[in-house]
Amino acid sequence: MTTEGVTTSAPLLGEPLPVELMNTVTIDRGRTHDALDSDTGATAWLRAVAHRLGAETAIKADQLDEDAVRPLAGALRALRDALRQLAGEATKDPRPPTTAPELARPEATTTLNALAQAWPELVWPADSQPSRAYRGPGAAADLAVQLIAHQAVELFTGPDRDRLRPCLAPNCLLFFIKNHARREWCSPACGNRVRVARHYRRHHTAPQA
C-alpha cells in the first residue's frame, strides 16, 4: 500500500493505528506474509503511517529512516504480536494464531503496557486554539511505537473493543472495526471473495444421494 509517497507491503484500510499494526500479517496464495519481517519493512510501515502519527505529535516521515527505526523494529513486532493476541481474545477469533502462538494474555498485556509510554500534553499557543500533543521518552521512532501502544490501551478499554472484529473471509488474517451495522468484512475485496465462494458452493455441491 502506498500513502504519502511511501510504500509498505501491508494493507492500510483506514482503521485505527493499532488495528493497522495488527494487519501487517497477511496471507496470499496460502502463504503468510509479514510486512515487518525486516528492519526495512518496519521502516516502510512506520513511514507510511507517519502522517497519521504526526496529527498528534511532531513526528515526520523523514525522522523515521532505517537507522532510526532499526533499534525499535523488534519492539514494533512485539507490540504487533501482543495486539493480535489481545484482539483474538477480545473477539473470540476462531482463526489459529499466526504470530507468537505461545503468547498468553498476561505476557501480551505486559508488553503493551511497557511500550505505552506516551502521554498527552496541552499545547496552547498565544495566537491559536488549544490542542493536544503526545510526548514520550526517546526520539521520534520511540514515540511512534509508544503512541500506537497508548492508542491500543484506549482501544481495548473503550467502545471500539466491542466493535473490533476478525475478518472471517477465506484467506484473510485481518481485523477491522465494525463501524456500521452491515459491515461484515475488512474490505470489499473480502466481501466479494465470500460471495464468490458461496456461489460456487451453491452451484457445485453434489446433491446427496
Side-chain angles (χ1 to χ4, degrees):
M1 177 68 70
T2 299
T3 180
E4 301 291 310
V6 180
T7 300
T8 172
S9 60
L12 293 173
L13 303 178
E15 300 290 345
L17 283 176
V19 181
E20 301 278 33
L21 180 57
M22 297 175 204
N23 290 346
T24 55
V25 179
T26 57
I27 190 167
D28 182 37
R29 296 180 177 88
R31 298 184 64 180
T32 301
H33 174 72
D34 182 354
L36 308 181
D37 64 354
S38 67
D39 296 342
T40 300
T43 300
W45 186 83
L46 277 177
R47 287 174 63 86
V49 300
H51 66 291
R52 295 180 60 184
L53 294 165
E56 295 192 285
T57 68
I59 294 173
K60 300 186 186 306
D62 59 10
Q63 296 174 288
L64 301 173
D65 60 25
E66 192 164 335
D67 287 340
V69 172
R70 184 177 296 110
L72 276 300
L76 185 65
R77 287 188 284 269
L79 177 59
R80 187 270 314 279
D81 295 350
L83 296 185
R84 287 189 65 90
Q85 196 284 336
L86 296 171
E89 288 215 13
T91 62
K92 297 181 172 56
D93 186 359
R95 303 171 301 184
T98 54
T99 60
E102 75 288 348
L103 192 64
R105 182 169 62 183
E107 290 78 15
T109 303
T110 297
T111 296
L112 173 55
N113 289 337
L115 293 171
Q117 298 181 42
W119 62 84
E121 291 183 352
L122 176 66
V123 179
W124 198 340
D127 57 350
S128 63
Q129 296 297 310
S131 62
R132 177 180 62 187
Y134 279 90
R135 309 283 188 243
D142 299 88
L143 180 56
V145 177
Q146 293 157 5
L147 178 57
I148 296 169
H150 177 87
Q151 291 176 350
V153 173
E154 295 182 332
L155 170 69
F156 287 118
T157 58
D160 276 349
R161 184 189 70 240
D162 292 332
R163 293 192 283 264
L164 183 63
R165 298 286 190 277
C167 183
L168 300 181
N171 297 315
C172 189
L173 302 177
L174 306 191
F175 290 90
F176 66 96
I177 299 296
K178 186 179 175 71
N179 49 17
H180 55 80
R182 298 184 63 183
R183 187 179 183 189
E184 296 296 337
W185 320 109
C186 70
S187 67
C190 273
N192 288 338
R193 283 205 303 273
V194 171
R195 285 187 284 274
V196 168
R198 287 174 179 166
H199 181 271
Y200 182 88
R201 286 196 300 270
R202 280 198 303 268
H203 293 278
H204 292 83
T205 301
Q208 294 184 352

mmCIF file of all heavy atoms in Angstrom, residues 21 32 43 46-47 50 62 68 71 79-80 89 92 97 136 151 158 181 192 199 205:
data_model
loop_
_atom_site.group_PDB
_atom_site.id
_atom_site.type_symbol
_atom_site.label_atom_id
_atom_site.label_comp_id
_atom_site.label_asym_id
_atom_site.label_seq_id
_atom_site.Cartn_x
_atom_site.Cartn_y
_atom_site.Cartn_z
ATOM 1 N N LEU A 21 -1.650 -1.910 12.647
ATOM 2 C CA LEU A 21 -0.451 -2.659 13.018
ATOM 3 C C LEU A 21 -0.753 -4.153 13.097
ATOM 4 O O LEU A 21 0.043 -4.976 12.620
ATOM 5 C CB LEU A 21 0.096 -2.152 14.352
ATOM 6 C CG LEU A 21 1.367 -2.846 14.874
ATOM 7 C CD1 LEU A 21 2.506 -2.767 13.863
ATOM 8 C CD2 LEU A 21 1.784 -2.245 16.209
ATOM 9 N N THR A 32 1.785 -17.075 4.375
ATOM 10 C CA THR A 32 1.710 -15.938 5.284
ATOM 11 C C THR A 32 2.829 -14.952 4.979
ATOM 12 O O THR A 32 3.974 -15.336 4.752
ATOM 13 C CB THR A 32 1.814 -16.418 6.742
ATOM 14 O OG1 THR A 32 0.755 -17.344 7.009
ATOM 15 C CG2 THR A 32 1.698 -15.251 7.708
ATOM 16 N N THR A 43 10.481 -0.037 8.827
ATOM 17 C CA THR A 43 10.668 1.370 8.492
ATOM 18 C C THR A 43 9.628 1.828 7.480
ATOM 19 O O THR A 43 9.019 2.898 7.630
ATOM 20 C CB THR A 43 12.080 1.593 7.917
ATOM 21 O OG1 THR A 43 13.052 1.204 8.896
ATOM 22 C CG2 THR A 43 12.296 3.045 7.545
ATOM 23 N N LEU A 46 6.165 2.272 9.239
ATOM 24 C CA LEU A 46 6.084 3.463 10.085
ATOM 25 C C LEU A 46 6.076 4.735 9.246
ATOM 26 O O LEU A 46 5.336 5.680 9.545
ATOM 27 C CB LEU A 46 7.251 3.496 11.073
ATOM 28 C CG LEU A 46 7.083 2.675 12.351
ATOM 29 C CD1 LEU A 46 8.345 2.753 13.198
ATOM 30 C CD2 LEU A 46 5.880 3.158 13.170
ATOM 31 N N ARG A 47 6.864 4.765 8.187
ATOM 32 C CA ARG A 47 6.862 5.949 7.329
ATOM 33 C C ARG A 47 5.524 6.109 6.609
ATOM 34 O O ARG A 47 5.049 7.230 6.390
ATOM 35 C CB ARG A 47 8.005 5.862 6.320
ATOM 36 C CG ARG A 47 9.385 6.083 6.940
ATOM 37 C CD ARG A 47 10.505 5.849 5.933
ATOM 38 N NE ARG A 47 10.457 6.787 4.826
ATOM 39 C CZ ARG A 47 11.015 7.992 4.828
ATOM 40 N NH1 ARG A 47 11.671 8.417 5.899
ATOM 41 N NH2 ARG A 47 10.936 8.779 3.773
ATOM 42 N N ALA A 50 3.191 7.737 9.030
ATOM 43 C CA ALA A 50 3.751 8.890 9.738
ATOM 44 C C ALA A 50 2.813 10.093 9.716
ATOM 45 O O ALA A 50 2.746 10.852 10.690
ATOM 46 C CB ALA A 50 5.110 9.270 9.147
ATOM 47 N N ASP A 62 10.448 11.862 7.503
ATOM 48 C CA ASP A 62 11.898 11.891 7.311
ATOM 49 C C ASP A 62 12.673 11.657 8.603
ATOM 50 O O ASP A 62 13.894 11.477 8.579
ATOM 51 C CB ASP A 62 12.343 13.189 6.633
ATOM 52 C CG ASP A 62 11.967 14.436 7.432
ATOM 53 O OD1 ASP A 62 11.526 14.301 8.593
ATOM 54 O OD2 ASP A 62 12.114 15.549 6.881
ATOM 55 N N ALA A 68 17.035 5.110 12.262
ATOM 56 C CA ALA A 68 16.254 5.485 13.431
ATOM 57 C C ALA A 68 15.325 4.368 13.885
ATOM 58 O O ALA A 68 15.109 4.165 15.086
ATOM 59 C CB ALA A 68 15.445 6.751 13.129
ATOM 60 N N PRO A 71 16.574 0.198 15.883
ATOM 61 C CA PRO A 71 16.554 -0.213 17.292
ATOM 62 C C PRO A 71 15.152 -0.500 17.833
ATOM 63 O O PRO A 71 15.007 -1.157 18.861
ATOM 64 C CB PRO A 71 17.180 0.992 18.020
ATOM 65 C CG PRO A 71 17.921 1.749 16.969
ATOM 66 C CD PRO A 71 17.143 1.541 15.709
ATOM 67 N N LEU A 79 4.975 -5.538 19.780
ATOM 68 C CA LEU A 79 3.692 -4.874 20.009
ATOM 69 C C LEU A 79 2.634 -5.450 19.084
ATOM 70 O O LEU A 79 1.506 -5.736 19.522
ATOM 71 C CB LEU A 79 3.846 -3.370 19.783
ATOM 72 C CG LEU A 79 2.570 -2.538 19.927
ATOM 73 C CD1 LEU A 79 1.959 -2.689 21.308
ATOM 74 C CD2 LEU A 79 2.871 -1.063 19.624
ATOM 75 N N ARG A 80 2.971 -5.633 17.819
ATOM 76 C CA ARG A 80 2.009 -6.223 16.874
ATOM 77 C C ARG A 80 1.545 -7.599 17.348
ATOM 78 O O ARG A 80 0.337 -7.902 17.338
ATOM 79 C CB ARG A 80 2.670 -6.310 15.499
ATOM 80 C CG ARG A 80 1.758 -6.750 14.327
ATOM 81 C CD ARG A 80 1.721 -8.265 14.109
ATOM 82 N NE ARG A 80 2.996 -8.897 14.122
ATOM 83 C CZ ARG A 80 3.859 -8.941 13.087
ATOM 84 N NH1 ARG A 80 3.571 -8.367 11.952
ATOM 85 N NH2 ARG A 80 5.008 -9.593 13.215
ATOM 86 N N GLU A 89 -8.427 -12.629 21.691
ATOM 87 C CA GLU A 89 -9.232 -12.907 22.889
ATOM 88 C C GLU A 89 -10.468 -12.022 22.940
ATOM 89 O O GLU A 89 -11.564 -12.484 23.267
ATOM 90 C CB GLU A 89 -8.379 -12.692 24.139
ATOM 91 C CG GLU A 89 -7.320 -13.757 24.347
ATOM 92 C CD GLU A 89 -7.086 -14.073 25.810
ATOM 93 O OE1 GLU A 89 -7.895 -13.651 26.650
ATOM 94 O OE2 GLU A 89 -6.084 -14.750 26.091
ATOM 95 N N LYS A 92 -12.928 -13.322 20.369
ATOM 96 C CA LYS A 92 -13.121 -14.779 20.287
ATOM 97 C C LYS A 92 -12.836 -15.270 18.862
ATOM 98 O O LYS A 92 -13.585 -16.054 18.280
ATOM 99 C CB LYS A 92 -14.517 -15.186 20.748
ATOM 100 C CG LYS A 92 -14.791 -14.857 22.212
ATOM 101 C CD LYS A 92 -16.175 -15.291 22.643
ATOM 102 C CE LYS A 92 -16.358 -15.147 24.147
ATOM 103 N NZ LYS A 92 -16.107 -13.783 24.657
ATOM 104 N N PRO A 97 -3.779 -18.668 15.712
ATOM 105 C CA PRO A 97 -2.833 -17.536 15.736
ATOM 106 C C PRO A 97 -1.748 -17.703 14.683
ATOM 107 O O PRO A 97 -1.279 -18.821 14.431
ATOM 108 C CB PRO A 97 -2.253 -17.584 17.155
ATOM 109 C CG PRO A 97 -2.487 -18.981 17.626
ATOM 110 C CD PRO A 97 -3.739 -19.451 16.958
ATOM 111 N N GLY A 136 6.894 11.637 24.696
ATOM 112 C CA GLY A 136 7.372 10.367 25.223
ATOM 113 C C GLY A 136 8.876 10.385 25.325
ATOM 114 O O GLY A 136 9.536 11.236 24.707
ATOM 115 N N GLN A 151 -2.543 4.201 22.102
ATOM 116 C CA GLN A 151 -3.831 4.122 21.417
ATOM 117 C C GLN A 151 -4.446 2.729 21.564
ATOM 118 O O GLN A 151 -5.673 2.587 21.608
ATOM 119 C CB GLN A 151 -3.663 4.487 19.949
ATOM 120 C CG GLN A 151 -3.327 5.948 19.730
ATOM 121 C CD GLN A 151 -3.080 6.274 18.269
ATOM 122 O OE1 GLN A 151 -2.969 5.385 17.416
ATOM 123 N NE2 GLN A 151 -2.976 7.556 17.950
ATOM 124 N N GLY A 158 -11.983 0.958 25.548
ATOM 125 C CA GLY A 158 -13.037 1.853 25.102
ATOM 126 C C GLY A 158 -14.102 1.145 24.286
ATOM 127 O O GLY A 158 -14.101 -0.082 24.141
ATOM 128 N N ALA A 181 -23.610 -1.069 10.749
ATOM 129 C CA ALA A 181 -24.294 -2.317 11.086
ATOM 130 C C ALA A 181 -24.121 -3.406 10.039
ATOM 131 O O ALA A 181 -24.064 -4.592 10.379
ATOM 132 C CB ALA A 181 -25.787 -2.039 11.313
ATOM 133 N N ASN A 192 -16.359 -9.713 -1.627
ATOM 134 C CA ASN A 192 -16.513 -10.336 -2.946
ATOM 135 C C ASN A 192 -16.068 -11.794 -2.914
ATOM 136 O O ASN A 192 -16.699 -12.667 -3.533
ATOM 137 C CB ASN A 192 -15.711 -9.560 -3.994
ATOM 138 C CG ASN A 192 -16.335 -8.214 -4.314
ATOM 139 O OD1 ASN A 192 -17.525 -8.006 -4.101
ATOM 140 N ND2 ASN A 192 -15.527 -7.300 -4.821
ATOM 141 N N HIS A 199 -21.411 -18.677 -3.994
ATOM 142 C CA HIS A 199 -21.977 -19.013 -5.298
ATOM 143 C C HIS A 199 -21.421 -20.345 -5.794
ATOM 144 O O HIS A 199 -22.163 -21.198 -6.323
ATOM 145 C CB HIS A 199 -21.655 -17.899 -6.306
ATOM 146 C CG HIS A 199 -22.204 -18.143 -7.669
ATOM 147 N ND1 HIS A 199 -21.507 -18.837 -8.641
ATOM 148 C CD2 HIS A 199 -23.395 -17.792 -8.230
ATOM 149 C CE1 HIS A 199 -22.226 -18.894 -9.734
ATOM 150 N NE2 HIS A 199 -23.373 -18.261 -9.515
ATOM 151 N N THR A 205 -21.911 -27.982 -5.392
ATOM 152 C CA THR A 205 -22.025 -29.008 -4.360
ATOM 153 C C THR A 205 -22.848 -30.163 -4.903
ATOM 154 O O THR A 205 -23.980 -29.978 -5.385
ATOM 155 C CB THR A 205 -22.674 -28.443 -3.092
ATOM 156 O OG1 THR A 205 -21.881 -27.354 -2.607
ATOM 157 C CG2 THR A 205 -22.764 -29.524 -2.026
#
